[in-house]
Amino acid sequence: MAVRNYTFVTEFFLTAFTEHPEWGLPLFLLFLSFYLSTLLGNAGMIILIQKNRRLQTPMYFFLSHLSFVDICYSSVIIPQMLAVLWEHGTTISQARCAAQFFLFTFFASIDCYLLAIMAYDRYVAVCQPLLYVTIMTEKARVGLVTGAYVAGFSSGFVRTVTAFTLSFCGSNEINFIFCDLPPLLKLVCGDSYIQEVVIIVFAIFVMPACIVVISVSYLFIIVAILQIRSAGGRAKTFSTCTSHLTAVALFFGTLIFMYLRDNADQSSEGDRVVSVFYTVVTPLLNPLIYSLRNKEVKEALMKSLTSKISGMP
């Protein structure tokens, strides 16, 4: 029986977008501007919610945590991507790769759970308005957010430990913007069936479970809206959900395209473009979506800007 020789990998070489060296500087400047805008927009949203009394509601409490997670989420990915573009490829140790994968899974899972919680919040507000204050107490919303963080940590920890008990061999090149599961699985040698099953099972508790909660919540919301007799009342009620629906469509749409399909059908070029959307573009757009499509946020922002301008000498 022939013995196969493997060269085991202890570090990885990230090479995303380096096949076009002339794109390096323009992409570096573009993603740097996106990152700074993401930090500014999400930090601004958190400060605005904290300082404005009209925004001290459960929905904006969840939104402030979503903004915080988006800052952390993008900070795990974009600085590494900027280093890859600046250096035309960069080496990352297996330990750092595992840490990045854990943090990405941790914050991405929390993002999923928060979007599901916000869908439930909209369901209670629309379908049970008289009980909204009773159901969405401070204790309840703190408990929901704490549960999202704990569940996100558990998912990230189990998936990371399971993924990095695999053996990687052969080429150490990852043609991707960060240490993510699909490109890592392409470097696995030996039998990985059990580990992949564990990873998939824990993934089911995040994305599909959250999609079910969001879908059921909006099914009840749509039924409730259709029962409103006036067209104006229906439009006003639905408008309170459009910002959240837009954010859900952007985030889950790209995640579904990336993870809920056959690995054999995935191309590196397509994967990199999709990954830019859910790691770079979505955290950038969330503050814009919730400010431009939300009357209360726009009014709070205008009031804050007006007070600052009037206070200038």
Side-chain angles (χ1 to χ4, degrees), residues 160 207 234:
T160 302
M207 191 167 29
R234 287 196 297 268

Side-chain angles (χ1 to χ4, degrees), residues 17-260:
F17 303 114
T18 56
E19 64 269 29
H20 300 286
E22 68 277 8
W23 294 2
L25 183 58
L27 285 175
F28 177 87
L29 295 174
L30 177 66
F31 290 137
L32 178 61
S33 66
F34 281 178
Y35 181 51
L36 295 176
S37 299
T38 298
L39 296 181
L40 182 64
N42 283 288
M45 181 66 74
I46 294 170
I47 294 169
L48 188 66
I49 291 170
Q50 292 295 321
K51 294 209 167 199
N52 194 286
R53 289 185 179 180
R54 288 187 63 190
L55 302 182
Q56 301 295 312
T57 65
M59 182 177 74
Y60 295 108
F61 174 77
F62 299 135
L63 179 56
S64 65
H65 278 275
L66 184 68
S67 294
F68 169 73
V69 170
D70 279 345
I71 289 174
C72 299
Y73 177 64
S74 56
S75 296
V76 170
I77 306 301
I78 301 180
Q80 179 71 69
M81 183 167 57
L82 293 175
V84 172
L85 291 169
W86 185 257
E87 300 171 11
H88 302 290
T90 187
T91 301
I92 181 171
S93 67
Q94 191 168 349
R96 279 186 59 199
C97 186
Q100 186 181 55
F101 178 72
F102 166 73
L103 290 172
F104 163 72
T105 307
F106 174 47
F107 290 119
S109 299
I110 297 171
D111 230 328
C112 292
Y113 289 126
L114 286 175
L115 289 171
I117 290 168
M118 291 170 77
Y120 172 70
D121 172 76
R122 292 298 83 210
Y123 156 74
V124 177
V126 173
C127 300
Q128 302 184 51
L130 298 179
L131 298 175
Y132 183 74
V133 177
T134 306
I135 295 173
M136 283 297 173
T137 61
E138 183 177 357
K139 184 178 179 180
R141 58 184 190 242
V142 169
L144 286 168
V145 169
T146 303
Y149 280 85
V150 171
F153 178 86
S154 301
S155 175
F157 180 78
V158 172
R159 294 184 76 202
T160 302
V161 170
T162 305
F164 283 86
T165 55
L166 296 168
S167 297
F168 304 99
C169 56
S171 172
N172 70 337
E173 185 175 306
I174 298 179
N175 193 357
F176 205 64
I177 65 173
F178 69 101
C179 287
D180 198 9
L181 192 58
L184 283 171
L185 289 178
K186 293 177 182 178
L187 305 181
V188 171
C189 53
D191 184 20
S192 61
Y193 177 76
I194 295 175
Q195 289 91 335
E196 289 188 38
V197 168
V198 172
I199 291 168
I200 291 168
V201 167
F202 271 84
I204 289 171
F205 286 104
V206 183
M207 191 167 29
C210 291
I211 290 172
V212 168
V213 171
I214 292 168
S215 300
V216 172
S217 297
Y218 274 102
L219 180 62
F220 282 108
I221 288 170
I222 290 168
V223 171
I225 289 174
L226 291 175
Q227 291 175 349
I228 299 173
R229 292 184 178 182
S230 68
R234 287 196 297 268
K236 184 178 179 181
T237 304
F238 187 72
S239 68
T240 63
C241 305
T242 53
S243 299
H244 179 255
L245 272 174
T246 306
V248 165
L250 273 173
F251 187 68
F252 281 101
T254 51
L255 285 182
I256 288 169
F257 182 81
M258 185 70 184
Y259 296 106
L260 298 187

Side-chain angles (χ1 to χ4, degrees), residues 264-280:
D265 296 331
Q266 297 184 20
S267 68
S268 296
E269 193 74 32
D271 288 354
R272 281 177 292 170
V273 173
V274 173
S275 65
V276 166
F277 269 92
Y278 68 78
T279 58
V280 180

